[in-house]
Amino acid sequence: MLRKIASTLIIFFLIPQWVYAESAAKELQSLYATQGADAYSAKTGGSKWKREVASKNGDNRSCSTCHTADLRQSGKHIKTKKVIQPMAFSVNKDRYTKTKKIEKWLKRNCKWTWGRECTAQEKGDFLEYLLAQ
Amino acid sequence: MKRQLILISVLVSASVVTSVSASEEESFGKWVMSISRTKEVKAVNNELYAEECGACHYAYPPGLLPIQSWEKLLDAKALEDHFGENAELDEADLASLQKYVYANSAEKSYYKRARKITRSISEGEAPLRITEVKYIKRKHHELTEEMVKGNKDVSSLSNCNACHTQAEKGIFDDDTVNIPNFGEWDD
């Protein structure tokens, strides 16, 4: 019995972090489905990623303004100049380990970029796009 | 023999005094016992603060601003437009950060620089930028445009840690300054 528990625990810890990582993003996608989102599309997410919206400061902003269009590369905040680590799931799985963190940044960045919160569908599409990169 | 004993006891007590870390500022007693009490600013010692604020910029030690400034900055509505950025936090995290920052704001600190900052701010004044604090301004008045704004590796006076190499420890001494592309600061 003890051996069984021990081996289960060992296997549990051997599962790489990214397995949980993806599940945090997937968990949110399921949540968005209960909030009215339909099937997610990476393609839609990708085109929305580049969609520019005029800000109240007069500049045009899209996700790629700071993150660039190549998500495997680091980005740079246009104003603060902070280097932003890559967004692509394939090169930066750590980004997708916590639902709370994903939600926090989706909320902040949708408001900063588009001037409003994103809908459940939009957030789900973005995640689908980011996970596919 | 007696002289040796005195020497040993002096050394032992000195080591006890210096071993009180600068990050401990819980009581007046500890402060009195600490040699570093007359120096610097208390380093950030709150994980949530370091993570949330440090995600976008150098996590400024709370002792760099008085409470009336922090109250304006750490307001839920104000954080939605935090110097042009959206820095919204959820309620629980914000409450926790407020508690930490308010308890460690400049006017409550025994640290020398925090005290000087407090003294340089007139009553009723609540600077929102650390770079607007008179003491901080005075300390940086010799810097040229090329060293800060025109310096691509600094770009703003608000990037403390671009030049203050020990800023993470709350140390801002002259000797620890190294201006990128200009070298060490020689007063």
Side-chain angles (χ1 to χ4, degrees):
Chain A
M1 182 61 190
L2 252 177
R3 194 176 292 176
K4 217 175 193 176
I5 294 173
S7 56
T8 316
L9 276 177
I10 288 167
I11 290 168
F12 182 78
F13 285 112
L14 281 178
I15 299 174
Q17 278 300 309
W18 58 263
V19 173
Y20 307 108
E22 190 169 26
S23 71
K26 292 277 178 212
E27 194 183 319
L28 280 175
Q29 284 186 321
S30 323
L31 174 75
Y32 301 148
T34 68
Q35 298 167 351
D38 214 354
Y40 304 115
S41 150
K43 201 171 162 243
T44 312
S47 58
K48 282 179 181 165
W49 189 264
K50 296 176 201 82
R51 189 185 149 225
E52 285 195 346
V53 173
S55 81
K56 59 177 192 288
N57 296 342
D59 54 336
N60 287 330
R61 294 172 179 179
S62 73
C63 303
S64 45
T65 306
C66 299
H67 293 293
T68 80
D70 182 0
L71 300 184
R72 287 175 197 85
Q73 303 292 320
S74 295
K76 199 177 193 182
H77 195 292
I78 48 158
K79 206 177 128 205
T80 67
K81 310 282 183 244
K82 186 192 88 167
V83 173
I84 306 168
Q85 295 307 312
M87 294 304 296
F89 180 72
S90 61
V91 296
N92 199 354
K93 295 183 170 64
D94 280 354
R95 281 215 181 279
Y96 303 94
T97 48
K98 287 180 195 138
T99 54
K100 189 179 159 187
K101 194 173 173 182
I102 298 173
E103 275 277 69
K104 179 180 80 182
W105 283 109
L106 278 171
K107 188 177 182 185
R108 285 179 175 177
N109 291 348
C110 283
K111 283 186 164 184
W112 188 86
T113 315
W114 286 357
R116 63 163 171 86
E117 281 193 53
C118 290
T119 64
Q121 183 68 51
E122 287 164 341
K123 291 193 282 185
D125 286 338
F126 279 137
L127 286 177
E128 194 71 14
Y129 173 61
L130 295 167
L131 291 177
Q133 299 301 303
Chain B
M1 184 64 194
K2 199 175 175 193
R3 192 179 288 173
Q4 246 175 349
L5 264 178
I6 292 172
L7 187 67
I8 289 169
S9 63
V10 165
L11 283 174
V12 166
S13 56
S15 73
V16 166
V17 168
T18 50
S19 68
V20 177
S21 135
S23 66
E24 290 170 355
E25 202 189 9
E26 281 79 21
S27 69
F28 181 76
K30 266 188 184 153
W31 172 70
V32 162
M33 287 298 287
S34 165
I35 275 180
S36 55
R37 72 180 184 272
T38 56
K39 290 196 173 140
E40 303 304 338
V41 177
K42 183 184 176 183
V44 169
N45 63 342
N46 180 291
E47 219 174 289
L48 186 68
Y49 184 88
E51 192 187 321
E52 288 299 338
C53 307
C56 299
H57 55 69
Y58 164 66
Y60 306 102
L64 290 176
L65 282 176
I67 191 164
Q68 66 268 26
S69 296
W70 286 119
E71 279 171 345
K72 286 191 173 173
L73 289 164
L74 297 181
D75 168 80
K77 199 77 203 148
L79 282 173
E80 286 180 28
D81 185 0
H82 185 66
F83 304 104
E85 305 305 310
N86 185 304
E88 275 179 69
L89 287 159
D90 75 28
E91 248 175 75
D93 284 349
L94 179 57
S96 165
L97 290 176
Q98 286 169 337
K99 197 173 161 219
Y100 163 66
V101 173
Y102 298 168
N104 289 282
S105 53
E107 80 288 350
K108 293 192 197 71
S109 181
Y110 298 121
Y111 282 66
K112 184 175 92 179
R113 286 191 206 282
R115 290 158 67 92
K116 286 188 169 173
I117 284 169
T118 307
R119 276 206 298 275
S120 81
I121 296 168
S122 29
E123 215 176 315
E125 197 190 348
L128 292 182
R129 294 170 190 270
I130 293 160
T131 53
E132 283 167 4
V133 172
K134 286 186 199 93
Y135 170 74
I136 304 287
K137 271 182 153 174
R138 195 162 67 228
K139 281 287 182 183
H140 295 92
H141 81 280
E142 285 173 66
L143 296 174
T144 62
E145 181 95 6
E146 297 82 60
M147 288 174 175
V148 186
K149 274 206 181 125
N151 189 339
K152 68 172 172 58
D153 297 319
V154 181
S155 83
S156 166
L157 204 57
S158 59
N159 290 324
C160 306
N161 56 340
C163 304
H164 290 279
T165 58
Q166 307 277 306
E168 305 293 339
K169 294 180 199 153
I171 297 170
F172 296 91
D173 195 90
D174 279 356
D175 299 343
T176 64
V177 171
N178 187 350
I179 304 174
N181 312 314
F182 282 87
E184 283 176 22
W185 183 251
D186 195 11
D187 212 359

